[in-house]
Amino acid sequence: MKASGVDNGILSFSFNQDASLLGLGTKEGTRWYRTDPFEKYRENTDDAAVLAMHYNTDLVAQVGAAETATSSQRAVRMLNYGLTPNKEITKKHFEKAVLDVKLNADRVVVVLEESIHIYSLAEMKLLHTIEGIPGNIDGVCSLPGLKRRTAESANLLAYPFEKKEVHGNVHLFDVINLRAGVVIEAHSSRIRCLAFNDGGTMLATASAKGTVIRVFRTPSGEKLFELRRGLATNATIFSMAFDMTSSLLCVSSNHPTIHIFKLETAVVPPPAEDASAWSASALFSAAIETASSMLPTPVSDMWTQTRSFAQISLPDAGNPNLCAICGGGPDPVHVLVATSEGILYKYALDREEGGECERMIRYPLCSSATDLIKLSASEAAEAAQVEAATEAAAVAPEREPRGGGAAAPRVATDRSVAPAPPRDEEDDASGDDQRERSSSPTD
């Protein structure tokens, strides 16, 4: 992901396929971090506007940030840091700027604004070029990681295909057999973000409006889930990430709230001959289905769309960030959030209860981030001192002023610590506290 909005020298940041590594491209060079336990284990002086890692190996695809012979936005360098002294394996040049690069065990995908180039990983041989892609100015695409390959895994490429009259379509392409797949009519507005699960059997899509996230089965294109991030306020979706079991989906945006959805299929039992065989949940589901069918489509969609079961409140909002879900099974589940401010956050997720995720720790990725964390810690300490002084004053007995009369009014303490930005107001609306909204709920 390309960084923007903060002048701290960071150009890009990205996780590898299982988020065990984090790569950071800066104007001064490139750094790699292990995320558990956190440590910096490699750095060099090569800038990187795009950085793609190959699992936990020494193989890296890198795109420069300048227009020089050694750092070009129109060239992809395949590097192997296990080789000395010459780490560059090959270099591919293009007529226009490279917007993104995706890697997995079989393929290298290079994304330009109007074309996508597919290479074999083993030989870096060009296998196929998809041309005539209109309007993909952000280089949106997705390729599954295939870290845990199974018989059902599918090595597919997903990319948007925008036209003046048609928006929101996603094309699938089989990068092994080099043939086009189905076209998914995912949204009614421009595609902003795409993300496969690890096995390539599920695809999450988000539009430029960012209110609704949809999950499709691939390669068939069948819609599986419809997830609502917000009711009315549009958002720019920065990233989406499945966990390794494809049971959770994390979504981050330019709003301070990160949403985590449970991907569970509600199964309603078929009608029984004996009415007493219907459970309360089945009757409720049937009532909702009947009621929603009588409403206009946008309103009925809101009734059936799933809301997030867990949330993360970031201290700052607006700048690009990247999320990932780690752990699972016998291990605790964590959510990692890397931000363009140069901070890596780690949150604990209760996959059963959900709710607000607890921040465990944060790691600075650059010197300016270290200063931010120190400043935040000092502000928190100052706020705690003010809180303690206020509570002590409330407990202390009030003295009568000299000459009798009523006690002097207590003056409220002026705290100089700026409060954290509020969570998305649409995320906090529930039950009787929901506000009336005039915006259309469609995406």
Side-chain angles (χ1 to χ4, degrees):
M1 171 176 285
K2 292 187 178 180
S4 63
V6 182
D7 186 16
N8 56 6
I10 296 178
L11 301 173
S12 63
F13 49 100
S14 59
F15 289 113
N16 69 340
Q17 284 78 3
D18 62 358
S20 59
L21 300 179
L22 172 66
L24 190 72
T26 73
K27 295 177 180 178
E28 291 76 30
T30 306
R31 305 168 194 164
W32 286 265
Y33 300 87
R34 292 188 176 92
T35 59
D36 190 21
F38 179 80
E39 62 174 345
K40 182 171 68 175
Y41 78 99
R42 179 188 292 146
E43 63 180 329
N44 60 33
T45 57
D46 299 331
D47 60 13
V50 177
L51 191 63
M53 291 168 282
H54 183 259
Y55 306 100
N56 291 297
T57 72
D58 292 319
L59 186 63
V60 176
Q62 200 162 309
V63 179
E67 284 299 338
T68 65
T70 57
S71 174
S72 173
Q73 300 177 46
R74 293 177 293 145
V76 176
R77 301 170 65 206
M78 296 299 297
L79 308 172
N80 188 335
Y81 285 94
L83 300 178
T84 55
N86 184 15
K87 59 179 180 283
E88 184 173 292
I89 302 172
T90 186
K91 189 174 186 178
K92 301 296 182 182
H93 295 270
F94 302 89
E95 293 183 357
K96 296 184 178 180
V98 175
L99 302 179
D100 203 358
V101 179
K102 302 293 184 183
L103 300 179
N104 64 22
D106 305 304
R107 297 291 183 256
V108 178
V109 174
V110 180
V111 185
L112 280 62
E113 181 177 340
E114 297 179 348
S115 62
I116 296 177
H117 305 265
I118 302 169
Y119 293 83
S120 64
L121 177 69
E123 301 124 3
M124 279 304 294
K125 176 184 176 182
L126 179 63
L127 302 176
H128 187 77
T129 298
I130 304 172
E131 297 181 314
I133 302 173
N136 192 14
I137 58 176
D138 297 319
V140 177
C141 76
S142 185
L143 186 75
L146 300 180
K147 181 176 176 62
R148 300 178 182 177
R149 197 189 296 255
T150 66
E152 291 77 28
S153 296
N155 204 344
L156 301 171
L157 172 69
Y159 62 95
F161 197 87
E162 306 289 347
K163 293 183 177 180
K164 290 183 178 180
E165 318 82 40
V166 180
H167 298 285
N169 284 356
V170 178
H171 285 217
L172 299 183
F173 189 88
D174 184 337
V175 298
I176 298 299
N177 300 302
L178 304 179
R179 62 190 180 199
V182 301
V183 177
I184 301 174
E185 296 179 359
H187 299 271
S188 58
S189 54
R190 185 174 62 87
I191 296 295
R192 181 63 178 81
C193 190
L194 298 170
F196 274 113
N197 66 341
D198 179 69
T201 57
M202 297 169 68
L203 175 69
T205 68
S207 74
K209 290 186 176 180
T211 53
V212 174
I213 312 298
R214 294 191 172 99
V215 179
F216 298 88
R217 176 179 283 118
T218 52
S220 68
E222 173 193 357
K223 185 169 70 174
L224 297 175
F225 303 98
E226 197 159 276
L227 315 170
R228 180 161 286 277
R229 186 206 60 80
L231 289 176
T233 307
N234 293 349
T236 300
I237 303 299
F238 287 140
S239 71
M240 301 187 292
F242 291 88
D243 70 330
M244 275 295 180
T245 64
S246 303
S247 60
L248 299 172
L249 179 68
C250 183
V251 179
S252 72
S253 70
N254 62 335
H255 289 228
T257 304
I258 292 177
H259 297 268
I260 299 133
F261 298 90
K262 257 188 178 178
L263 303 180
E264 296 178 331
T265 304
V267 179
V268 179
E273 293 183 3
D274 183 2
S276 62
W278 281 80
S279 65
S281 60
L283 289 171
F284 179 75
S285 299
I288 289 292
E289 184 177 355
T290 301
S292 63
S293 66
M294 301 172 64
L295 297 170
T297 300
V299 179
S300 65
D301 285 348
M302 291 175 56
W303 281 45
T304 57
Q305 290 162 346
T306 302
R307 302 297 298 273
S308 59
F309 94 109
Q311 302 81 33
I312 291 172
S313 296
L314 293 177
D316 297 296
N319 294 317
N321 55 70
L322 198 61
C323 61
I325 304 176
C326 304
D331 301 321
V333 181
H334 301 129
V335 179
L336 299 177
V337 184
T339 71
S340 60
E341 290 91 347
I343 301 176
L344 176 65
Y345 295 94
K346 185 176 184 179
Y347 292 85
L349 170 64
D350 186 333
R351 67 179 308 141
E352 299 300 327
E353 300 297 329
E356 187 72 23
C357 296
E358 178 185 0
R359 190 178 75 195
M360 300 177 64
I361 198 167
R362 51 189 171 173
Y363 305 102
L365 305 174
C366 59
S367 58
S368 61
T370 302
D371 296 338
L372 280 175
I373 290 177
K374 287 180 180 178
L375 177 62
S376 178
S378 65
E379 288 177 344
E382 181 182 351
Q385 292 175 359
V386 172
E387 183 71 26
T390 303
E391 292 178 356
V395 174
E398 297 180 356
R399 298 181 181 178
E400 288 190 358
R402 293 182 181 179
R410 186 176 299 155
V411 179
T413 305
D414 179 20
R415 303 188 186 185
S416 60
V417 181
R423 289 176 52 191
D424 300 352
E425 66 173 16
E426 73 270 15
D427 302 331
D428 292 332
S430 61
D432 295 334
D433 296 330
Q434 290 189 357
R435 303 174 183 177
E436 291 184 5
R437 308 186 187 279
S438 59
S439 303
S440 170
T442 61
D443 68 331

